[in-house]
């Protein structure tokens, strides 16, 4: 029989501190549970145990506290974020059919020790999983220890047997008790012998083995005088420490280890818990749906809902018999962007369609679009554009609704959303299941949107935007492929030249992209000042190198080399690979990725194109219009500051915007207490940094680094700013207070962001939450406004007959491609629609330009 004994507190502790703090949208902490489960699943796969014992500590004092009142004195209590996860973890283990063992007066270590002793006595194989090295003393021929660690969110463990212990420590497992008796243990406040460290303790134990033998031979010539004196002075503590450090192996517990075989698994409850915790990957790893089906424990669909569904397999879309006045639930199955199958449900009838002709299918389904419920409408819309089919937006997109209700995730696959809202029923057929789930999910999400006053955000902003994004992706943007390729060759020549210069300065050739080799050259060969060397080598990050730029010419060359190499590989090479046969790039605009509501993009990431460096800005020259067309570019001016003025209702800030003043100049004049005419460019720059820094919750330390002043001076600027714009300070304070009370903040248009970090006892994490509470309403409202503008611009262009298409969105900037002869009219339309997209207490201003390239139109 093989036994797995797990030190629950130790593994949870390791996972908690090894994984960043995670939580659900409702603020329930999950990082320790997630880490424990990953370690557990790894152990189960590796050891395949017959019996599993999950040992945990109790809060009650143990026999060691009675023996030594200062045992574990000074140890910090368990953080609330971890303590709240403990009962949930135990509930999960119980649902999995594992026995929880907790015994008052004893520690989890003692339970492990008892299991190890029983296993050895009966020649059973025992694996102890822990993060605590104390358990190494339990190792024998039948018992080994898996010492667990969690680094960067990944679970690892080291396997220890007698040989491994001796190789690492130079003594055998049982001897580690005596080692601890001599050196003590600060984490458990075990005193040991004062002045005896690990090296001396190991050497003494290697020779004398036991305390009795050591003290019987205290005058041995190999014991130095100073060590002898310490041993004699603290003899009582040594023997006390030996007792404290010895794991007790006769805990009163059920000693028949076969009784710990997993049983009474409650898969349904486990599924519900993991769904609540948003641990969809674990649901999949545990095959919970299959297990639920096999055990007939699932009926995720409410009993009062009647899903008596009939299923019809069709080989032609023309055999469908859909009604235009009833909801249609649709699931599209793609293979390499080609539609292969479609499952369509209406009035409890399911049609599973094998799609032989894509165009035929989409032409048939488009007239029903306003009744379609789907999870992820954009691929459907893109096909409509591809086949030039006129269509209206879908009735309901469950992916968009799920994002609005919980923006903490980065993607929303239907299975995750189904499980999160308790809709993953396991019926007799997966096609039937999907349709039933989608119907239930739509109803749940719609009610939740209504309860959160988010229906307008859903139907007036996000769902119309999906059509706009689909159009932008389909149309794409023209690239000057030859110009970009030539630019890439220029960069390669510069990179090669920099390589040669760096090698000359270093006096040798090496891999410049290797932090290890670069660190050796900079900090060993050239002896530049460095931070402490770590196990992986010297730090050669940009911040470190920038501090050294004036120490040696090689440093600036390396920074320039990195900049150009990244520009070439990340942008030039990438753009060239992404162009289609018409030399156009079709970026993927992501609507459900950011917590603030901003649109992101990939392949390429248009939001991340560098524009602050000359080399990066040049990239915009290669985004061009077709020969007979032009680009019209419009960019909101200081939209986030205008949103701040509106939301804070700050009279001074609103006055500046209403009068069309230079907000940064006015801020500088007020912060530095002087007439605007005397404000220097440097003062304006610093005031600008304060203006934008306030939005992002920047403190004095960060501001001081940004504008190169002392922390005290930066603090003074911020205080003067908040005194000038007192409405801003009141607004920020109210946002923090509201978020602390309600757990979320909102934009003007009802977009919520939940901020569980505010409940953390960790000051750094809580500070992050407070910054998010202050800046999300501003950034999120600005994001909502640009989305509203995109919808209005798209609809206005469609009605205008100007032959114009909205093709790009980058932050607060929109770009339209149109025939050259219509460019002026498009410019006026674009500017007007953006400036009148919403009504704030201050005017919105959009600066618009016309040219043949993005660079020139910007």
């Amino acid at each position: 029989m093989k036994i797995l004994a797990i030190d629950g507190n130790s593994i949870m502790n390791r996972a908690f501190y090894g994984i960043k703090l995670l939580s659900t949208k409702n603020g329930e902490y999950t990082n320790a549970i997630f880490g424990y489960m990953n370690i557990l699943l790894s152990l189960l796969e590796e050891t395949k145990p017959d019996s599993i014992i999950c040992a945990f500590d109790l809060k009650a004092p143990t026999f060691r506290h009675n023996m030594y009142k200062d045992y574990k004195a000074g140890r910090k209590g368990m953080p609330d974020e971890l303590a709240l996860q403990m009962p949930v973890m135990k509930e999960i283990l119980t649902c999995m059919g594992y026995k929880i063992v907790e015994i008052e007066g004893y520690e989890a270590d003692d339970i492990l020790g008892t299991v190890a002793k029983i296993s050895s006595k009966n020649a059973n194989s025992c694996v102890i999983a822990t993060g605590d090295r104390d358990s190494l003393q339990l190792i024998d021929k039948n018992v080994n220890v898996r010492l667990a660690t969690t680094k960067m969110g990944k679970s690892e463990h080291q396997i220890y047997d007698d040989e491994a212990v001796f190789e690492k420590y130079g003594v055998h497992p049982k001897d580690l008790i005596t080692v601890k008796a001599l050196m003590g243990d600060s984490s458990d406040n075990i005193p040991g012998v004062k002045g005896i460290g690990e090296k001396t303790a190991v050497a003494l134990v290697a020779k004398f083995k036991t305390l009795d033998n050591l003290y019987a031979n205290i005058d041995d010539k190999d014991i130095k005088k100073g060590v002898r004196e310490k041993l004699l002075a603290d003899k009582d503590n040594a023997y006390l420490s030996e007792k404290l450090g010895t794991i007790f192996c006769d805990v009163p517990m059920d000693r028949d280890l076969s009784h710990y075989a997993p049983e009474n698994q409650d898969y349904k409850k486990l599924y519900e818990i993991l769904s609540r915790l948003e641990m969809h990957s674990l649901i999949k790893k545990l095959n919970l749906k299959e297990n639920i089906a096999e055990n007939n424990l699932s009926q995720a669909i409410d009993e009062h809902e009647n899903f008596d569904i009939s299923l019809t397999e069709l080989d032609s879309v023309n055999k469908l018999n859909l009604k235009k006045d009833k909801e249609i639930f649709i699931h599209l199955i793609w293979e390499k962007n080609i539609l292969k199958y479609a499952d369509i449900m209406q009035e409890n009838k399911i049609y599973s369609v094998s799609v032989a002709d894509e165009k035929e299918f989409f032409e048939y389904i488009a007239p029903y679009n306003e009744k379609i419920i789907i999870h992820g409408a954009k691929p459907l819309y893109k096909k409509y554009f591809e086949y030039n089919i006129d269509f209206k937006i879908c009735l309901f997109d469950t992916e968009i609704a799920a994002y609005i209700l919980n923006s903490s995730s980065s993607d929303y696959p239907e299975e995750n959303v189904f499980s999160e809202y308790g809709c993953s029923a396991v019926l007799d057929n997966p096609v039937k299941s999907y349709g039933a789930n989608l119907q239930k999910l739509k109803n749940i999400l719609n009610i939740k949107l209504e309860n959160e006053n988010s229906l307008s955000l859903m139907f007036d902003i996000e769902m119309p935007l999906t059509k706009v994004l689909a159009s932008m992706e389909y149309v794409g943007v023209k690239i000057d492929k030859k110009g970009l390729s030539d630019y890439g060759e220029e960069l390669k020549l510069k990179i090669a030249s920099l390589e040669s210069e760096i090698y000359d300065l270093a006096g040798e050739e090496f891999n410049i992209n290797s932090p290890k080799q670069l660190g050796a050259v900079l900090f060993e060969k050239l002896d530049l000042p460095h931070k402490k060397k770590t196990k992986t080598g010297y730090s050669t990050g940009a911040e470190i190198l920038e501090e050294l730029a004036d120490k040696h010419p090689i440093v600036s060359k390396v920074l320039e080399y990195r900049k150009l190499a990244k520009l070439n590989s990340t942008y030039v090479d990438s753009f060239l690979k992404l162009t289609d046969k018409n030399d156009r790039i079709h970026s993927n605009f992501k609507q459900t990725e950011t917590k603030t509501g901003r649109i992101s993009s990939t392949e390429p990431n248009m939001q991340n194109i560098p524009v602050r460096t000359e080399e990066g800005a040049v990239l915009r020259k290669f985004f061009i219009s077709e020969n007979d067309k032009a680009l019209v570019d419009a960019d909101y001016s200081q939209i986030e500051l205008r949103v701040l003025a509106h939301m804070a209702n700050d009279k001074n800030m609103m006055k500046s915007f209403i009068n069309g003043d230079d907000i940064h100049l006015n801020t500088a004049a007020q912060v530095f207490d002087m007439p605007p005419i005397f404000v220097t460019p440097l003062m304006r720059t610093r005031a600008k940094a304060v203006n934008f820094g306030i939005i992002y919750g920047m403190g004095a330390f960060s501001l001081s680094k940004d504008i190169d002043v002392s922390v005290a001076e930066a603090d003074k600027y911020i205080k003067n700013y908040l005194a000038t714009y007192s409405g801003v300070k009141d607004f920020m304070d109210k946002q923090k207070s509201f978020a602390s009370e309600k757990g979320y903040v909102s934009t003007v248009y009802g977009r919520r962001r939940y901020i569980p970090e505010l409940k953390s006892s960790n000051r750094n994490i809580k500070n992050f939450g407070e910054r998010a509470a202050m800046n999300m309403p501003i950034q999120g409202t600005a994001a909502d406004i640009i989305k509203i503008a995109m919808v209005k611009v798209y609809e206005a262009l469609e009605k205008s007959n100007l032959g114009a298409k909205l093709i790009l969105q980058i932050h607060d900037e929109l770009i339209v491609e149109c025939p050259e002869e219509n460019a002026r009219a498009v410019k006026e339309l674009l500017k007007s629609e953006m400036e009148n997209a919403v009504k704030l207490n201050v005017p919105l201003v959009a600066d618009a330009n016309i040219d043949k390239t993005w660079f020139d139109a910007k």
Side-chain angles (χ1 to χ4, degrees), residues 214-310:
L214 171 60
Y215 281 103
N217 295 278
I218 196 67
D219 294 322
D220 189 284
K221 60 181 177 58
D222 287 340
I223 302 176
K224 295 179 181 178
K225 180 183 177 183
V227 172
R228 182 183 298 111
E229 290 173 351
K230 292 172 183 175
L231 288 168
L232 290 171
D234 261 346
K235 182 177 179 179
D236 289 344
N237 274 342
Y239 277 99
L240 171 64
S241 299
E242 183 179 49
K243 290 178 182 177
L244 292 172
T246 300
I247 293 176
F248 184 72
C249 296
D250 285 300
V251 166
M253 59 181 284
D254 185 345
R255 304 178 78 82
D256 186 341
L257 299 184
S258 67
H259 291 171
Y260 297 93
E263 58 183 19
N264 301 322
Q265 293 97 332
D266 190 339
Y267 294 118
K268 183 184 178 187
K269 188 172 182 182
L270 178 60
Y271 178 90
E272 291 170 353
I273 295 170
L274 294 181
S275 293
R276 187 188 81 228
L277 298 178
E278 299 168 15
M279 293 185 178
H280 309 296
S281 62
L282 287 175
I283 290 173
K284 191 172 183 179
K285 283 182 182 178
L286 292 167
N287 297 315
L288 286 183
K289 293 172 188 173
E290 291 81 357
N291 287 327
I292 290 170
E294 289 173 10
N295 288 275
N296 295 316
L297 291 172
S298 172
Q299 193 46 267
I301 296 175
D302 294 341
E303 292 180 4
H304 68 271
E305 294 188 39
N306 178 21
F307 286 96
D308 183 16
I309 301 168
S310 60

Side-chain angles (χ1 to χ4, degrees), residues 69 124 134 288 303 370 390 409 411 582 639 724 748 782 797:
K69 64 180 179 63
N124 291 324
D134 287 348
L288 286 183
E303 292 180 4
E370 289 181 287
D390 186 43
S409 188
D411 65 315
N582 298 314
I639 186 170
T724 299
V748 168
L797 291 174

Side-chain angles (χ1 to χ4, degrees), residues 521-536:
V521 168
L522 296 180
F523 305 122
E524 292 177 5
K525 184 170 184 179
L526 300 179
D527 198 28
L528 295 179
H530 59 82
K531 306 258 180 179
K532 185 177 179 181
K533 186 177 181 181
T534 65
K535 291 180 180 179
T536 55

Side-chain angles (χ1 to χ4, degrees), residues 277-438:
L277 298 178
E278 299 168 15
M279 293 185 178
H280 309 296
S281 62
L282 287 175
I283 290 173
K284 191 172 183 179
K285 283 182 182 178
L286 292 167
N287 297 315
L288 286 183
K289 293 172 188 173
E290 291 81 357
N291 287 327
I292 290 170
E294 289 173 10
N295 288 275
N296 295 316
L297 291 172
S298 172
Q299 193 46 267
I301 296 175
D302 294 341
E303 292 180 4
H304 68 271
E305 294 188 39
N306 178 21
F307 286 96
D308 183 16
I309 301 168
S310 60
L311 174 63
T312 303
E313 300 269 357
L314 302 176
D315 58 5
S316 171
V317 71
N318 290 320
K319 294 180 181 178
L320 285 168
N321 184 26
L322 300 180
K323 300 174 182 176
K324 290 185 179 181
D325 61 339
K326 301 293 182 181
E327 291 183 345
I328 303 168
F329 300 87
I330 186 167
H331 179 216
L332 305 179
I333 299 98
W334 307 85
E335 288 183 14
K336 296 181 179 179
N337 201 35
I338 303 297
L339 185 65
K340 291 296 182 181
Y341 303 96
D343 299 326
I344 300 172
M345 187 179 92
Q346 188 178 66
E347 293 188 310
N348 292 354
K349 292 181 181 178
I350 285 270
Y351 303 95
S352 184
V353 183
S354 178
V355 180
D357 186 327
E358 263 198 352
K359 186 178 180 183
E360 176 193 55
F361 176 85
F362 291 115
E363 284 178 335
Y364 180 89
I365 206 74
Y368 300 93
N369 229 53
E370 289 181 287
K371 286 296 179 180
I372 285 177
I373 292 92
I374 193 170
H375 190 87
K378 191 169 65 168
L380 175 65
Y381 295 169
K382 285 177 72 174
K383 286 295 181 179
Y384 290 147
F385 285 119
E386 181 180 336
Y387 292 115
N388 195 28
I389 300 169
D390 186 43
F391 69 98
K392 304 292 185 181
I393 64 171
C394 290
L395 174 64
F396 200 95
D397 186 335
T398 53
E399 180 182 23
I400 298 300
Y403 169 64
I404 291 172
L405 291 169
N406 174 18
S407 64
S408 63
S409 188
S410 58
D411 65 315
Y412 296 81
E414 58 246 22
E415 283 304 303
N416 289 7
V417 179
F418 283 163
S419 64
E420 183 173 345
Y421 290 96
C423 298
S424 288
V426 181
L427 303 179
D428 60 335
N429 186 291
V431 176
K432 292 183 180 182
S433 178
Y434 189 96
N437 282 325
L438 192 59

Side-chain angles (χ1 to χ4, degrees), residues 634-651:
D635 194 351
Y636 275 124
S637 171
Q638 301 165 335
I639 186 170
E640 289 186 345
L641 284 176
R642 293 172 190 272
V643 168
L644 174 59
H646 170 84
M647 295 188 78
N649 197 32
D650 186 281
K651 305 303 180 187

Side-chain angles (χ1 to χ4, degrees), residues 587-605:
S587 186
N588 176 24
F589 292 96
K590 306 190 84 171
Q591 192 175 353
T592 61
E593 188 173 66
T594 68
K595 290 181 173 64
T596 59
R598 278 200 174 274
I599 298 166
S600 61
S601 61
T602 58
E603 296 182 321
N605 182 350

Side-chain angles (χ1 to χ4, degrees), residues 132-143:
D132 190 346
R133 294 180 184 273
D134 287 348
S135 292
L136 296 179
Q137 65 181 265
L138 301 173
I139 291 171
D140 63 21
K141 65 180 182 179
N142 294 303
V143 179

